[in-house]
Amino acid sequence: MKKVHNFNAGPCVLPSPAIAAGIDSLKDFRGSGMSVVEISHRSKDWEAVMNETETLWRELLDIPGNYKVLFLAGGASLQFLMVPFNLLEKKAAYLETGIWAKKAFKEAQILGGDKAVKVASSADRNYTYVPKGYTIPADADYFHITTNNTIYGTEIHTDLNSPVPLVADMSSDVMSRPVDVTKYGLIYGGAQKNVGTAGVAFIIVREDILGKVTRPFPTILDYRTHIQNGSMFNTPPVFPILIMNETLKWVKAQGGVPGVYKKNVEKAAALYNEIDRNPLFTGTAEKADRSLMNICFVMNKGYESKEEAFLNYAKECGMVGIKGHRSVGGFRASVYNACPKESVEALVQCMQEFEKNNK
Ligand SMILES: *Cc1c(COP(=O)(O)O)cnc(C)c1O
């Protein structure tokens, strides 16, 4: 297989043992003589995978018993509407820190109209920072944040204190750093950045925040339906859940969340240090809000015309996926849990060589 350094933003690099285990299960699921996509999701063997996956989540994030853990199809984007359907009665508060946050807010607005309020936004400077100094309305049903802004490379590094249930889209930083789950009412995300492949979303919800809305809503959008049915109200996406299971086993083998966090800090520091040192490049996010997962940078003043040349050079060096999102431009290196340190070191070296050849 050709060796590349995969910096894709999602779908993205996954732990190779998880891919290998996925291939084995596709061929023969745990010695059943059938592929994982051929078995009954009601079989004992599959139920064991569901239970094991939930147990891994609970262990790795230290999730208390009054929280339920769900695995549902539809990705993070379906959660943008499931959250207001389940929680919005009189007011929903949102922090707008990027395109994903904006999309989540839009769904609350569609359902609740003026009941959806934007508490603060960083749109004024193209989402290069995380707003601070705002007040979370104490009469809101919940406060929604996006902890890591995948496109802009900013991140909320602390667990906020919220007077109302805190709802967090953690699609792109879950399992990358320790979080105190008890600070949140609900955490959700698509699996395809840090915990597996597209096709499944994770939801961690404190059960007592549910069942408070008076308006009727569709059965399949009700978290309680999925809680009652152990995430198998309808046929679960078995293969994505299996890959999630294997990815979490890998996280555990790395020393759990503290283990991967330590490596993530080192990887991000190596790349940000080079961005700050190398006169050809400059970071786009405000330093205090820099993401550990998505590292955004552009050509420095005077070197703007070199952008295409650097992209080509990086490609020659085996770098994949470093072109920035169209709304930011420049470059973005996504360095999720499974991105090896060697890939970051190779990118740093590539930037240094490009500097030598172009100064
Ligand atoms: C990728 C991403 C999404 C979208 O996830 P889907 O599963 O494709 O719906 C939402 N929010 C954030 C922060 C993301 O990074």
Side-chain angles (χ1 to χ4, degrees):
M1 210 168 118
K2 196 172 125 189
K3 180 78 194 140
V4 298
H5 298 292
N6 184 349
F7 294 102
N8 280 330
C12 52
V13 62
L14 287 175
S16 49
I19 302 283
I23 293 168
D24 288 346
S25 296
L26 267 182
K27 288 184 181 158
D28 181 14
F29 173 64
R30 298 189 174 182
S32 64
M34 291 175 280
S35 167
V36 67
V37 294
E38 295 176 321
I39 57 158
S40 165
H41 62 286
R42 303 287 175 200
S43 63
K44 283 249 165 328
D45 284 348
W46 179 254
E47 251 181 49
V49 175
M50 293 295 283
N51 293 335
E52 201 180 283
T53 310
E54 176 174 341
T55 302
L56 282 162
W57 274 95
R58 289 190 179 278
E59 266 180 51
L60 290 167
L61 287 186
D62 198 12
I63 302 172
N66 60 330
Y67 286 73
K68 298 292 174 185
V69 182
L70 300 173
F71 311 120
L72 305 179
S77 299
L78 181 64
Q79 299 311 309
F80 293 167
L81 57 132
M82 277 182 79
V83 164
F85 265 107
N86 283 270
L87 302 180
L88 171 53
E89 180 78 1
K90 38 187 206 325
K91 187 188 269 192
Y94 279 73
L95 186 65
E96 191 193 82
T97 50
I99 287 177
W100 294 117
K102 206 169 156 176
K103 285 185 174 171
F105 179 63
K106 183 181 167 198
E107 298 305 318
Q109 265 187 318
I110 290 172
L111 186 72
D114 292 344
K115 290 178 182 173
V117 298
K118 205 187 289 179
V119 169
S121 167
S122 50
D124 59 340
R125 280 188 274 137
N126 199 30
Y127 303 116
T128 50
Y129 67 103
V130 175
K132 288 160 200 84
Y134 54 83
T135 306
I136 303 167
D139 60 343
D141 301 310
Y142 64 93
F143 178 51
H144 182 283
I145 59 171
T146 311
T147 50
N148 184 67
N149 299 286
T150 323
I151 293 171
Y152 305 90
T154 64
E155 188 170 12
I156 299 171
H157 298 287
T158 53
D159 301 308
L160 301 182
N161 289 312
S162 171
V164 299
L166 184 61
V167 175
D169 175 357
M170 288 196 190
S171 292
S172 53
D173 66 348
V174 72
M175 294 278 173
S176 70
R177 61 189 173 96
V179 293
D180 178 356
V181 172
T182 65
K183 291 285 188 79
Y184 300 84
L186 193 152
I187 295 170
Y188 70 86
Q192 68 273 23
K193 278 105 186 190
N194 266 330
V195 289
T197 181
V200 66
F202 56 88
I203 297 103
I204 302 161
V205 57
R206 208 179 73 213
E207 211 175 0
D208 66 280
I209 70 172
L210 301 175
K212 297 199 171 149
V213 295
T214 50
R215 124 190 71 69
F217 61 100
T219 314
I220 196 163
L221 298 184
D222 193 330
Y223 289 125
R224 292 170 302 175
T225 303
H226 300 288
I227 291 172
Q228 280 155 17
N229 291 282
S231 297
M232 294 208 285
F233 167 67
N234 59 331
T235 319
V238 291
F239 191 65
I241 292 173
L242 184 117
I243 294 286
M244 179 192 268
N245 175 293
E246 295 294 342
T247 305
L248 297 184
K249 282 183 194 156
W250 176 86
V251 172
K252 192 173 167 178
Q254 304 305 299
V257 175
V260 289
Y261 175 64
K262 187 169 172 275
K263 286 187 195 150
N264 288 336
V265 168
E266 289 166 8
K267 286 186 289 178
L271 193 45
Y272 282 124
N273 285 344
E274 178 59 19
I275 291 166
D276 293 340
R277 182 210 63 80
N278 194 318
L280 269 65
F281 301 100
T282 185
T284 53
E286 219 162 76
K287 282 191 180 170
D289 300 326
R290 281 175 163 180
S291 167
L292 284 184
M293 296 283 101
N294 310 97
I295 300 184
C296 296
F297 55 107
V298 293
M299 299 307 307
N300 218 344
K301 264 199 192 68
Y303 295 99
E304 290 94 338
S305 63
K306 303 266 185 199
E307 182 170 320
E308 200 61 36
F310 178 66
L311 277 175
N312 289 334
Y313 185 65
K315 200 172 160 191
E316 269 174 46
C317 303
M319 308 294 148
V320 172
I322 65 156
K323 193 174 165 62
H325 189 272
R326 60 193 177 280
S327 56
V328 181
F331 320 103
R332 170 177 54 174
S334 297
V335 289
Y336 298 116
N337 287 352
C339 174
K341 196 162 183 217
E342 300 81 74
S343 288
V344 174
E345 285 162 357
L347 177 55
V348 166
Q349 196 190 340
C350 168
M351 291 163 76
Q352 291 173 351
E353 284 164 6
F354 189 76
E355 177 197 4
K356 258 186 235 135
N357 303 336
N358 288 275
K359 231 163 79 174

